[in-house]
Amino acid sequence: MGYNARRAALSIIELFLERLAPYGLKPVDFSVMSTIHHNPGVTSRQLCAALNLLPPNLVGLIQSLEARGLIERKPHPHDGRAVGLHPTDQGIALMQQAEQTASDLEVEKTSRLTAAQRKTLLDLLQKIYL
């Protein structure tokens, strides 16, 4: 199972890297931005837990995304010690385009599957890691 999952991932990741290069997003950048985009106000701690990242690895990513003007830090509304991460207007626009590109790629790479098979595959894969 691992062998086949890895082969499938490799066949997608090569095109993913190529197609998301114009957005300046690597897979981990995309994951972090997507999580922030869909969960405005998420904290670094929550990001680490959701994406299985180590805090030291996230610090540089957050700084880079902030320097690019894609995210901003705002005080957390309920925890005075925490800071929420929010997409900027530029970050929202970028992620709308990048997520559409990623979605189109997934449809393309799974074109031999029916829509029901694609959904089943996604559901089964998520059962392994969620």
Side-chain angles (χ1 to χ4, degrees):
M1 186 179 318
Y3 171 77
N4 285 295
R6 180 77 174 144
R7 293 273 318 261
L10 287 173
S11 76
I12 293 172
I13 197 69
E14 185 178 333
L15 279 176
F16 184 89
L17 291 169
E18 178 184 308
R19 297 209 183 149
L20 267 75
Y23 305 106
L25 297 173
K26 294 178 179 149
V28 70
D29 303 321
F30 179 87
S31 296
V32 168
M33 276 302 301
S34 184
T35 303
I36 294 169
H37 176 75
H38 294 285
N39 302 280
V42 66
T43 66
S44 293
R45 181 178 298 221
Q46 292 169 324
L47 267 176
C48 286
L51 300 175
N52 197 27
L53 296 172
L54 295 173
N57 296 340
L58 184 62
V59 171
L61 275 168
I62 295 299
Q63 290 173 342
S64 173
L65 295 171
E66 191 174 30
R68 289 179 59 190
L70 300 177
I71 63 169
E72 59 187 348
R73 302 171 202 234
K74 295 181 182 176
H76 194 277
H78 308 296
D79 184 347
R81 298 167 297 160
V83 174
L85 302 169
H86 297 263
T88 62
D89 290 342
Q90 180 183 347
I92 291 168
L94 179 93
M95 284 312 296
Q96 288 171 340
Q97 294 172 11
E99 286 182 344
Q100 184 61 55
T101 298
S103 180
D104 292 346
L105 169 61
E106 287 180 0
V107 169
E108 177 186 327
K109 288 301 289 182
T110 58
S111 64
R112 296 188 334 208
L113 302 176
T114 65
Q117 288 171 327
R118 187 177 301 112
K119 182 183 180 328
T120 298
L121 176 60
L122 184 59
D123 289 344
L124 293 173
L125 289 170
Q126 288 177 346
K127 283 185 180 210
I128 293 172
Y129 68 87
L130 289 181

